[in-house]
Amino acid sequence: GAGVSQTPSNKVTEKGKYVELRCDPISGHTALYWYRQSLGQGPEFLIYFQGTGAADDSGLPNDRFFAVRPEGSVSTLKIQRTERGDSAVYLCASSLLAGVGEQFFGPGTRLTVL
Amino acid sequence: KQEVTQIPAALSVPEGENLVLNCSFTDSAIYNLQWFRQDPGKGLTSLLLIQSSQREQTSGRLNASLDKSSGRSTLYIAASQPGDSATYLCAVLLGSQGGSEKLVFGKGTKLTVNP
């Protein structure tokens, strides 16, 4: 498809486990963003990539969270030692032009930590 | 710190009514403003994007305005339909000299259009 895709759509894990969430941006989009949405709230920024580099990771809650985008396309959000408070919907977005471009969102990954 | 507020939190209207959703933000130094629609359990669908230099944008029955100096935006929906029922989110794009940028979202307005 032509849109942003995210896998898996749902992930259930146990407290303390490691998880990886994947994002495939729209082809040709150089800017990629991760957000996290808790129930009843708007999405909150986690990290922004311009190309391969993380231009801003100030939204990552702590050092258990890490994200990569090694070839400037697909990105993976990695969460170590998951906690129940990490349960949320993780949204990925991409944009053709940083700074003024419209952000297009994927369907999200719903993470549940038991 | 930029804060985005959306009023009302929920709105229920009969089919056919025209309605206005409100969004306010505390810092006028924004690059642009986007309105999104979110259906239950789904991702965000972009509805309208207004650049900081623009005053309004229109798409079909939707019209969004931006008054950057007063920190306000409105989303006008004409002749509402049951299919318009969803949560509507407003977000402003912030940047910095370091090259960072991010959307800051409001909590949304949950709209229900009754047949």
Side-chain angles (χ1 to χ4, degrees), chain B:
Chain B
K1 178 185 174 185
Q2 177 75 266
E3 293 184 0
V4 179
T5 303
Q6 291 189 246
I7 294 173
L11 181 64
S12 181
V13 301
E15 182 176 3
E17 191 162 300
N18 302 324
L19 59 99
V20 174
L21 307 181
N22 296 291
C23 172
S24 62
F25 47 95
T26 54
D27 186 343
S28 62
I30 63 171
Y31 285 165
N32 63 42
L33 184 146
Q34 265 184 275
W35 281 95
F36 295 89
R37 168 186 174 136
Q38 187 171 34
D39 293 283
K42 304 292 184 183
L44 278 63
T45 299
S46 180
L47 297 174
L48 289 164
L49 169 72
I50 310 178
Q51 300 295 349
S52 61
S53 59
Q54 296 176 321
R55 298 282 295 183
E56 66 178 323
Q57 282 287 339
T58 298
S59 176
R61 295 183 292 110
L62 305 179
N63 175 277
S65 68
L66 173 63
D67 184 343
K68 204 172 77 161
S69 61
S70 68
R72 294 180 186 278
S73 175
T74 62
L75 179 66
Y76 174 83
I77 303 177
S80 58
Q81 302 171 358
D84 295 331
S85 298
T87 295
Y88 290 80
L89 292 156
C90 164
V92 295
L93 184 67
L94 303 183
S96 74
Q97 290 183 337
S100 172
E101 58 176 58
K102 58 186 172 185
L103 285 173
V104 177
F105 284 83
K107 292 184 178 182
T109 294
K110 184 175 182 181
L111 173 66
T112 303
V113 181
N114 301 300

Side-chain angles (χ1 to χ4, degrees), chain A residues 14-95:
Chain A
E14 293 180 344
K15 180 175 179 293
K17 298 291 188 183
Y18 168 84
V19 297
E20 289 189 351
L21 311 179
R22 176 188 168 106
C23 172
D24 272 279
I26 293 172
S27 178
H29 281 197
T30 59
L32 185 146
Y33 315 79
W34 284 96
Y35 296 85
R36 179 168 74 171
Q37 186 175 26
S38 301
L39 194 63
Q41 304 294 315
E44 293 182 327
F45 170 80
L46 295 177
I47 188 169
Y48 158 58
F49 286 92
Q50 181 57 247
T52 60
D56 183 356
D57 64 358
S58 63
L60 295 177
N62 50 60
D63 61 7
R64 294 186 297 106
F65 289 74
F66 188 72
V68 295
R69 195 186 184 199
E71 298 179 356
S73 177
V74 171
S75 176
T76 304
L77 178 64
K78 307 180 180 191
I79 310 174
Q80 297 177 321
R81 305 183 303 280
T82 52
E83 300 178 356
R84 292 193 180 87
D86 299 336
S87 297
V89 176
Y90 289 80
L91 296 164
C92 175
S94 70
S95 174

